[in-house]
Amino acid sequence: MDMPLGSFPDILTVLDSIWDPGVAIDLKAVEQLATDQSSLKAAAGLAKPAKWSGIGGSGDGALIWGECAGSGANPYRVMADLRDLGNKCTCPSRKFPCKHVLGLLWLNAEAIVPFTPADTPSWVSDWLGRRRGASAAKPAGNAAPAGDKDLRAAQRAEPETIEDPKDAARREAQAAKRSDETERAILDALDALEQWVGDQLRLGLSPFIDDVTARCRRIAARLVDGKAAVLAGRIDELPGRLLALPAGDRPRGAVVELGKLVLLARAFRATPRDAEIRRAVATSETRETVLTDPLALRVNAPWEVLAEQVRTRRDGLVSQTTWLLNLATTGPRFAMLLDFFPASAGRRGSVFTPGERFQGELAFYPSQQPLRALLVRRDTTEETSAEWPIPDEAPSDALTRPLLAEPWIIDIPLLLPQGRIARDDTGHIWWRSADGAMTLPVATEAQGILCGTSLTRTAAIWSGNRLTILAAQTPWGRIGPP
């Protein structure tokens, strides 16, 4: 289960300029290596001294290794080179890197156990020989072996090895087979999901709401087994969204949630290779894929940080969502920066402050309605008192338009026109437009200056039942929820 060395001359060029004794890795780098959230969660469970034996490292700290207890009689042998993050594990996983490699790197990044300098085991040396053997320059005749710098120079000068067409075809066939197997597993899991939804409706919404946590957990586990991990996470969070509603709204909320699951399952069945739908069901494109995609939408504009939402998920990960508002007149109105990290890592500091403005370039994930994005470049802080943009559509259109493209969507960001937030006689809180044409219930408690104030603009998230206020502008400045 070798991770490909990649373009070896390029790697060596970088190493020549930045490498020094005492190579280190941090937890952020471990998180970025993980292929999906389930791998990261599994690695967190393996980052415990009791799981490991034979932990060691090279004198310069560049090589680390260890043996991790698995389900078999013999432990898995795990090794990594911190200079280029090449790694290997003897487990049968098809993920690169697997959870054992991530666990080993985690131990090192957090200094959970000491990686005492020791003689390199033969199984680590064999791996290193295989990694470097294909591109290593051989000394001519009886000449003494070249030094490290000379060897690297020889490796740079060596012509590229021509790949055997049969090997390439074989790998392509294996990759296609794995892709077909994954797709088949997802489709089987979605069949089980639709049957489960039908069972909940047939047995009645009241028993479903009373037992929603246990029932959702069971079908979520089935979806994880069927490689539909993202959809499983959505269902695992469904009880929290449902039980946050007033008791009288929960039956309607349950019907809406279950209906969206069926729509998403059938959309995947119709177009299983669609990147946007696949992202909502199985897995997301990597950060590198989006940043290197020449077709990815990129927007360079002034942005305002609206708010940050930090939530601990049931799978042990923390989601950190930063909402941005585009202050220009072109490009997507909103952007969502989304990051995940293990809850065991503790609270992270944010690089953004609500209300700050900056000029920056964002790369958006492919979508009919671009929203999730990556920060490519952050240039300067934008010091301006400009008003927020005028909403370019009525609130009713802003609510319905996204659902026509993605009827399974959960959160819809809105920029609302002039209005007011107030409490009615029953204690419920509402946002009401200045012309009285639209009234929307508010999920968050409105206190102090936010409640009763005339709001010039309001940025909020509509979740299908309630508004969550992110920030608002008033005649005397910007305010946020308490």
Side-chain angles (χ1 to χ4, degrees), residues 195-205 207-208 215 258:
Q195 181 178 351
W196 175 82
V197 171
D199 290 343
Q200 308 317 306
L201 297 175
R202 177 174 53 83
L203 296 173
L205 291 176
F208 170 70
R215 294 192 186 189
L258 296 177

Side-chain angles (χ1 to χ4, degrees), residues 206-223:
S206 180
F208 170 70
I209 294 170
D210 291 341
D211 193 32
V212 64
T213 300
R215 294 192 186 189
C216 287
R217 187 172 300 168
R218 286 193 291 269
I219 189 61
R222 171 66 182 87
L223 290 170

Side-chain angles (χ1 to χ4, degrees), residues 323-482:
W323 291 96
L324 305 178
L325 177 67
N326 185 350
L327 300 177
T329 56
T330 59
R333 177 64 61 218
F334 292 91
M336 178 185 71
L337 307 181
L338 181 61
D339 193 16
F340 296 94
F341 58 91
S344 58
R347 177 67 186 268
R348 275 184 180 176
S350 177
V351 297
F352 296 105
T353 302
E356 73 169 301
R357 294 180 174 184
F358 66 93
Q359 182 78 24
E361 181 181 5
L362 271 59
F364 285 82
Y365 283 73
S367 173
Q368 297 182 60
Q369 304 172 109
L371 179 60
R372 186 180 176 185
L374 298 170
L375 181 62
V376 178
R377 188 178 69 256
R378 181 176 177 177
D379 295 332
T380 59
T381 300
E382 188 77 9
E383 297 294 342
T384 175
S385 59
E387 291 280 334
W388 287 357
I390 299 174
D392 50 10
E393 57 185 343
S396 57
D397 294 334
L399 287 173
T400 56
R401 178 184 47 77
L403 293 173
L404 296 176
E406 297 178 79
W408 51 84
I409 194 172
I410 296 178
D411 293 330
I412 301 174
L414 300 171
L415 184 60
L416 299 170
Q418 186 173 358
R420 187 183 297 271
I421 294 177
R423 190 191 309 269
D424 64 18
D425 295 338
T426 63
H428 294 102
I429 302 170
W430 303 83
W431 173 88
R432 177 169 295 172
S433 61
D435 59 7
M438 173 163 282
T439 302
L440 297 172
V442 176
T444 52
E445 182 69 19
Q447 298 176 351
I449 194 171
L450 187 62
C451 189
T453 298
S454 176
L455 307 178
T456 308
R457 305 278 186 273
T458 302
I461 304 297
W462 176 253
S463 60
N465 297 281
R466 294 286 189 274
L467 275 180
T468 298
I469 305 298
L470 297 176
Q473 275 198 338
T474 71
W476 52 82
R478 179 190 190 277
I479 59 174

Side-chain angles (χ1 to χ4, degrees), residues 39-52 68-70 76 98-104 106-107 112:
S39 295
L40 196 59
K41 180 183 177 183
L46 293 176
K48 297 177 173 61
K51 299 281 187 180
W52 295 84
C68 184
Y76 299 125
C98 67
K99 62 182 180 181
H100 307 102
V101 168
L102 295 173
L104 180 73
W106 199 314
L107 290 174
I112 297 174

Side-chain angles (χ1 to χ4, degrees), residues 115-388:
F115 283 75
T116 306
D119 293 336
T120 305
S122 59
W123 44 275
V124 177
S125 298
D126 291 345
W127 169 64
L128 285 176
R130 289 194 299 274
R131 291 187 79 216
R132 296 174 179 171
S135 56
K138 298 180 180 179
N142 295 324
D148 285 347
K149 295 291 184 180
D150 294 334
L151 178 58
R152 289 173 181 172
Q155 288 166 338
R156 294 190 188 100
E158 186 179 6
E160 293 185 11
T161 302
I162 299 176
E163 186 177 26
D164 186 345
K166 292 183 178 179
D167 290 341
R170 188 181 304 112
R171 282 195 298 273
E172 290 178 3
Q174 290 173 346
K177 181 180 178 181
R178 288 195 297 270
S179 178
D180 290 342
E181 290 174 349
T182 298
E183 187 174 311
R184 183 68 260 167
I186 295 174
L187 291 173
D188 289 344
L190 295 180
D191 288 341
L193 172 64
E194 288 202 48
Q195 181 178 351
W196 175 82
V197 171
D199 290 343
Q200 308 317 306
L201 297 175
R202 177 174 53 83
L203 296 173
L205 291 176
S206 180
F208 170 70
I209 294 170
D210 291 341
D211 193 32
V212 64
T213 300
R215 294 192 186 189
C216 287
R217 187 172 300 168
R218 286 193 291 269
I219 189 61
R222 171 66 182 87
L223 290 170
V224 171
D225 293 341
K227 304 185 185 302
V230 178
L231 185 54
R234 172 176 176 151
I235 293 177
D236 215 21
E237 299 298 318
L238 188 154
R241 294 193 299 273
L242 194 59
L243 297 178
L245 299 175
D249 290 347
R250 291 173 187 171
R252 175 185 175 276
V255 172
V256 172
E257 291 276 0
L258 296 177
K260 289 183 176 182
L261 293 176
V262 173
L263 289 171
L264 182 53
R266 296 188 177 181
F268 183 93
R269 191 173 287 111
T271 54
R273 302 300 170 89
D274 183 275
E276 187 171 4
I277 296 175
R278 200 171 188 86
R279 189 186 314 133
V281 173
T283 186
S284 177
E285 302 92 332
T286 64
R287 176 185 180 90
E288 290 71 23
T289 299
V290 176
L291 293 177
T292 57
D293 183 1
L295 300 179
L297 173 64
R298 293 200 173 209
V299 178
N300 191 349
W303 302 90
E304 178 173 322
V305 181
L306 293 173
E308 182 182 74
Q309 297 174 327
V310 179
R311 297 171 180 166
T312 301
R313 295 156 46 105
R314 295 179 59 86
D315 58 7
L317 293 178
V318 176
S319 66
Q320 184 171 344
T321 307
T322 303
W323 291 96
L324 305 178
L325 177 67
N326 185 350
L327 300 177
T329 56
T330 59
R333 177 64 61 218
F334 292 91
M336 178 185 71
L337 307 181
L338 181 61
D339 193 16
F340 296 94
F341 58 91
S344 58
R347 177 67 186 268
R348 275 184 180 176
S350 177
V351 297
F352 296 105
T353 302
E356 73 169 301
R357 294 180 174 184
F358 66 93
Q359 182 78 24
E361 181 181 5
L362 271 59
F364 285 82
Y365 283 73
S367 173
Q368 297 182 60
Q369 304 172 109
L371 179 60
R372 186 180 176 185
L374 298 170
L375 181 62
V376 178
R377 188 178 69 256
R378 181 176 177 177
D379 295 332
T380 59
T381 300
E382 188 77 9
E383 297 294 342
T384 175
S385 59
E387 291 280 334
W388 287 357

Side-chain angles (χ1 to χ4, degrees), residues 58-87:
S58 59
D60 60 9
L63 292 174
I64 58 174
W65 58 79
E67 296 181 305
C68 184
S71 56
N74 299 319
Y76 299 125
R77 290 176 168 177
V78 193
M79 59 217 83
D81 188 337
L82 298 185
R83 290 169 292 194
D84 59 10
L85 297 182
N87 56 74

